[in-house]
Amino acid sequence: DDRVFEGLVARARVEVGCRRLDTLREALVLVDAGPYLPELDTAAIASRRRDLDELEAEARTDLARGLIEIGDPAAARDVIRAALRHDPVREDAWQLLMRAEDVLGGPEAVGRVLVECRDSLARAGLEPCANTLRTAERLRRVGIAASA
């Protein structure tokens, strides 16, 4: 139910730690069950779906951020990839993916994610913002320095 999903995401905003992550997971189970009112196709329903999609992307990026913070970059990567399937131009998700891949694969993995990000944004007629480029450069520079 869409209202339950919204309620869980709202509750997660005031929770901390593992409780927050559990609530976000619970919320995402609801949206993973399928789209909002799939049998209907009106302007109002389409608008509501867009709102729910945005909230879903927010929940997925929040969950991924929390997973990185608790030291589970592999799980974070999976969550971020799911968010990017829904919204491939969401740069905060690309930045989180860079952070997860930095831990998992080092500077080369960050570089691969940057290429993916650029390609994805280019398909929409966009370029990475300065913050995304700085994130990639910082992670690559720190990773290279750490391996030297």
Side-chain angles (χ1 to χ4, degrees):
D1 178 65
D2 62 314
R3 300 288 180 202
V4 174
F5 170 66
E6 288 175 317
L8 288 168
V9 174
R11 188 174 88 199
R13 288 180 180 137
V14 297
E15 293 176 332
V16 295
C18 290
R19 177 170 284 164
R20 176 183 173 84
L21 301 182
D22 290 343
T23 301
L24 288 168
R25 285 185 186 105
E26 184 180 347
L28 290 168
V29 165
L30 295 174
V31 295
D32 289 341
Y36 175 71
L37 298 176
E39 67 282 357
L40 299 176
D41 194 24
T42 67
I45 297 295
S47 175
R48 180 71 175 141
R49 284 184 192 133
R50 283 190 299 276
D51 292 345
L52 292 170
D53 286 348
E54 178 60 30
L55 191 58
E56 176 187 351
E58 177 188 321
R60 287 190 193 283
T61 54
D62 285 350
L63 176 58
R65 191 173 293 109
L67 290 166
I68 289 170
E69 289 170 3
I70 66 167
D72 194 351
R77 177 182 52 199
D78 294 343
V79 170
I80 299 164
R81 289 275 182 204
L84 288 168
R85 277 192 294 279
H86 291 285
D87 189 357
V89 297
R90 191 175 175 105
E91 288 196 63
D92 60 339
W94 284 109
Q95 292 167 23
L96 285 170
L97 184 57
M98 288 176 198
R99 289 179 53 201
E101 288 293 355
D102 179 51
V103 174
L104 296 167
E108 296 83 16
V110 173
R112 287 190 297 272
V113 172
L114 180 58
V115 169
E116 272 186 86
C117 173
R118 284 185 176 180
D119 290 347
S120 181
L121 293 171
R123 283 190 289 279
L126 302 170
E127 294 180 3
C129 71
N131 194 41
T132 297
L133 297 173
R134 277 193 304 272
T135 297
E137 182 57 32
R138 180 182 50 81
L139 291 170
R140 290 170 73 191
R141 188 174 48 246
V142 169
I144 290 169
S147 65

